[in-house]
Amino acid sequence: MSSKNEPGFRESVEMLFMRAAEKMDLSSDIIDKIRVANSTYTVRFGVKLRGKIQTFTGYRSVHSEHAEPVKGGIRYALSVDQNEVEALASLMTYKCALVEVPFGGSKGGLCIDPRAWDEDELEHITRRFAFELIKRDLINPSQNVPAPDMGTGEREMAWIADQYHRMNTTDIDARACVTGKPLEVGGIRGRVEATGRGVQYGIREFFRHEMDKEAAGLKGGLGGKRVVIQGLGNVGYHAGKFLQEEDDCKIVAVIEHDGAVINDNGLDIETLKSHISEYGGVAKFPHGKHVEDGSLVLEHDCDILIPAALEGVINMDNAGRVKARFIVEAANGPITAGGDEILRKNGVVIMPDMFANAGGVTVSYFEWVKNLSHIRFGRMQRRQEEARQEMVIEALEKMTGESFPDELRGAFVSGADELALVRSGLDDTMRGAYNNMRDMWHRLKAEDPSMDLRTAAYMISIDRVVKSYSTLGL
Ligand code: NAD
């Protein structure tokens, strides 16, 4: 997707990594060690479908094992190749370090167009791919734990979990071999929405800091802010839905694989999503103007631009024409190193991918812990919390002689269930990581005007990985 004169995705990630690493007091050998992926396994396997043997190529890359298990999604797309999975695996290392989840970085992918196969065929293909990875411990609760990514979701994760269980019938922790599973097979409430929810929490935290908003030329709260989203898949849809329904943002354009739809008065995300599910794209959506070349709409006037689909979509060719002053990288790598340079010079504030989309891996961490502990969060304490709150009400009523307002009783007497705990843990993680990142950004900016949120994020992550290496040895 990047412009012809630009390096590919992996090189681009490495350039952004180097920009940060060079600002740190580190030896070149440790920088070189962290920069590259530790290993990448390629598998070519055959599945008999439609009367002949179809050969598929898949990958699982491990970027860093400074913490185990390593973690990272499995992507189904025709773009998948070794460079792409290595770039994505390295981003997983930095992401996990930044949000303090105790995993190393990994990523997998299958070079396939998932729309070209029906459900039964996809199940055969997924189980065969999983078999190849499981037998090499590239899927394993204590070593390597995949999750969904582009082109995969709960359904594929359930097949993978079942395949692992069939091959490891006595492993009591088998369910922890993969996250993003449906609830019935060990998933956690709030995982499907987690990445989009994390995008929302990240943006909310950004809007709590006047200085940060000012850097992006923004004022006031989130209400009424004009948002453009690229990709209305898992991440883009949830981010858009929550920003619209809970923060009153106005979604003025959505870019999809078949073009874009614009409505400066606001698009209703639920209605648009139903249209996409029914007709396969945004074309013919009756409540907006259709633009055939969707990439042009990345340049549409808005307050917040959220690329949530592919990598390299904002690059040296178009970065100079982007009007948004605040870009939230919900996708992995949507801005190339060259594009990043241009945007920074133009005063655009970029919330980097390794932070913005970290909600997915954060809730995956909660799911993994739930699977290992074999109990739903909140099960032991919820009713006990409620009983205590009832006692507080009773005491207040006795002390004041007044009765507690009925309209507040329900909200006051409610112990946290799993979903509430997941959201609280996610919000806390996103706020904490954002504040670490912005502290570093503003502290170093005084002496180095080229500092930005991405460089700060890399510096925090690299420092944590270096500390693990030096504590543990290589
Ligand atoms: P998805 O497959 O659910 O959705 C991707 C969407 O992008 C689809 O609606 C697709 O039609 C659309 N799309 C495809 N080509 C496009 C094009 N040329 N222009 C515009 N839209 C196009 O994928 P997802 O899980 O939402 O992932 C999106 C991005 O977020 C990826 O970069 C992924 O790595 C990243 N991410 C996902 C998760 C997760 O939990 N799913 C977590 C972290 C990061």
Side-chain angles (χ1 to χ4, degrees):
M1 267 282 177
S2 51
S3 98
K4 282 185 213 76
N5 308 319
E6 276 182 280
F9 184 23
R10 185 172 57 77
E11 289 84 356
S12 182
V13 172
E14 288 186 6
M15 285 163 76
L16 295 167
F17 165 89
M18 287 306 293
R19 208 179 107 72
E22 279 163 0
K23 291 182 194 286
M24 301 171 75
D25 185 20
L26 294 173
S27 63
S28 60
D29 52 349
I30 186 80
I31 294 177
D32 285 347
K33 172 66 212 73
I34 296 174
R35 185 173 47 82
V36 295
N38 286 2
S39 61
T40 303
Y41 171 70
T42 306
V43 58
R44 295 178 190 87
F45 58 90
V47 187
K48 201 159 180 202
L49 295 168
R50 302 183 188 176
K52 64 174 195 161
I53 295 172
Q54 313 268 355
T55 304
F56 297 92
T57 306
Y59 305 86
R60 187 80 185 155
S61 175
V62 175
H63 175 259
S64 174
E65 289 141 306
H66 69 282
E68 281 184 311
V70 292
K71 190 95 188 69
I74 290 186
R75 174 177 286 196
Y76 282 5
L78 288 173
S79 64
V80 167
D81 62 15
Q82 182 168 345
N83 276 331
E84 188 180 77
V85 288
E86 288 189 0
L88 291 165
S90 69
L91 283 173
M92 283 307 298
T93 296
Y94 311 133
K95 192 179 303 183
C96 292
L98 182 68
V99 296
E100 297 182 274
V101 300
F103 299 137
S106 182
K107 201 83 181 192
L110 195 58
C111 185
I112 185 178
D113 174 5
R115 288 177 229 230
W117 302 95
D118 67 31
E119 187 163 354
D120 284 350
E121 292 169 333
L122 276 174
E123 180 176 348
H124 278 302
I125 298 164
T126 302
R127 284 184 182 275
R128 186 73 169 77
F129 183 33
F131 171 82
E132 294 295 333
L133 298 181
I134 292 164
K135 73 180 184 191
R136 290 172 179 85
D137 287 333
L138 287 166
I139 295 178
N140 181 302
S142 57
Q143 288 190 24
N144 197 324
V145 182
D149 192 73
M150 232 165 87
T152 59
E154 285 190 318
R155 182 183 66 174
E156 288 73 16
M157 300 307 114
W159 293 331
I160 293 173
D162 184 61
Q163 187 64 33
Y164 183 88
H165 182 60
R166 287 184 190 190
M167 293 166 71
N168 297 273
T169 49
T170 56
D171 184 349
I172 196 167
D173 292 326
R175 283 183 159 183
C177 76
V178 66
T179 58
K181 302 177 293 289
L183 260 188
E184 313 77 62
V185 293
I188 193 167
R189 286 162 186 81
R191 175 59 184 91
V192 175
E193 63 172 53
T195 311
R197 183 64 80 183
V199 170
Q200 177 199 30
Y201 288 165
I203 295 176
R204 279 184 177 175
E205 187 56 26
F206 177 90
F207 269 79
R208 290 191 184 100
H209 300 277
E210 287 304 322
M211 220 166 139
D212 303 5
K213 279 191 288 183
E214 221 169 84
L218 295 167
K219 283 197 184 99
L222 265 170
K225 290 287 176 290
R226 294 161 307 144
V227 179
V228 171
I229 301 176
Q230 183 186 41
L232 214 61
N234 176 298
V235 180
Y237 160 68
H238 286 106
K241 173 183 165 72
F242 299 143
L243 286 169
Q244 178 167 75
E245 291 175 0
E246 297 170 14
D247 297 305
D248 289 329
C249 286
K250 201 191 268 187
I251 316 295
V252 292
V254 167
I255 308 163
E256 256 294 330
H257 66 98
D258 63 335
V261 57
I262 302 179
N263 184 338
D264 286 318
N265 295 320
L267 295 158
D268 183 66
I269 290 296
E270 280 302 339
T271 315
L272 181 55
K273 184 72 180 171
S274 312
H275 179 90
I276 296 175
S277 308
E278 195 171 343
Y279 302 102
V282 295
K284 300 204 181 94
F285 185 64
H287 310 292
K289 188 179 102 187
H290 184 246
V291 177
E292 212 158 295
D293 183 356
S295 66
L296 294 175
V297 178
L298 291 165
E299 300 160 27
H300 191 72
D301 193 19
C302 65
D303 300 304
I304 310 174
L305 173 60
I306 308 183
L310 313 168
E311 51 255 17
V313 293
I314 303 174
N315 48 53
M316 287 167 79
D317 286 346
N318 62 357
R321 295 191 299 270
V322 168
K323 293 188 193 67
R325 291 279 312 278
F326 181 39
I327 305 182
V328 179
E329 290 186 319
N332 282 306
I335 303 176
T336 63
D340 182 87
E341 188 83 30
I342 296 169
L343 293 167
R344 271 188 293 109
K345 284 200 179 115
N346 290 348
V348 177
V349 175
I350 301 166
M351 182 175 275
D353 46 10
M354 74 180 77
F355 167 75
N357 66 38
V361 76
T362 302
V363 177
S364 274
Y365 168 45
F366 302 154
E367 180 177 334
W368 181 74
V369 171
K370 173 185 179 179
N371 294 153
L372 294 180
S373 58
H374 301 267
I375 187 164
R376 158 167 56 83
F377 289 111
R379 181 164 175 182
M380 303 291 279
Q381 61 272 51
R382 183 174 174 197
R383 301 298 171 193
Q384 196 258 358
E385 268 174 32
E386 291 183 0
R388 274 175 169 271
Q389 285 147 357
E390 288 283 9
M391 270 167 64
V392 172
I393 289 182
E394 225 178 284
L396 278 173
E397 286 180 337
K398 264 200 184 133
M399 283 155 64
T400 60
E402 307 266 342
S403 53
F404 197 86
D406 276 346
E407 65 276 17
L408 296 182
R409 187 178 279 266
F412 190 78
V413 184
S414 85
D417 61 8
E418 184 171 80
L419 184 60
L421 290 167
V422 162
R423 286 185 180 162
S424 154
L426 176 59
D427 196 12
D428 186 57
T429 303
M430 297 306 288
R431 288 195 204 198
Y434 184 77
N435 280 287
N436 289 339
M437 217 168 47
R438 78 175 291 277
D439 286 352
M440 171 87 86
W441 173 32
H442 292 300
R443 187 158 46 79
L444 299 187
K445 206 175 175 186
E447 292 196 352
D448 176 0
S450 74
M451 267 306 288
D452 62 332
L453 279 171
R454 189 195 308 282
T455 309
Y458 267 110
M459 289 173 80
I460 293 167
S461 305
I462 295 169
D463 182 59
R464 288 180 179 157
V465 176
V466 168
K467 283 194 176 122
S468 304
Y469 275 140
S470 43
T471 314
L472 303 170
L474 286 174

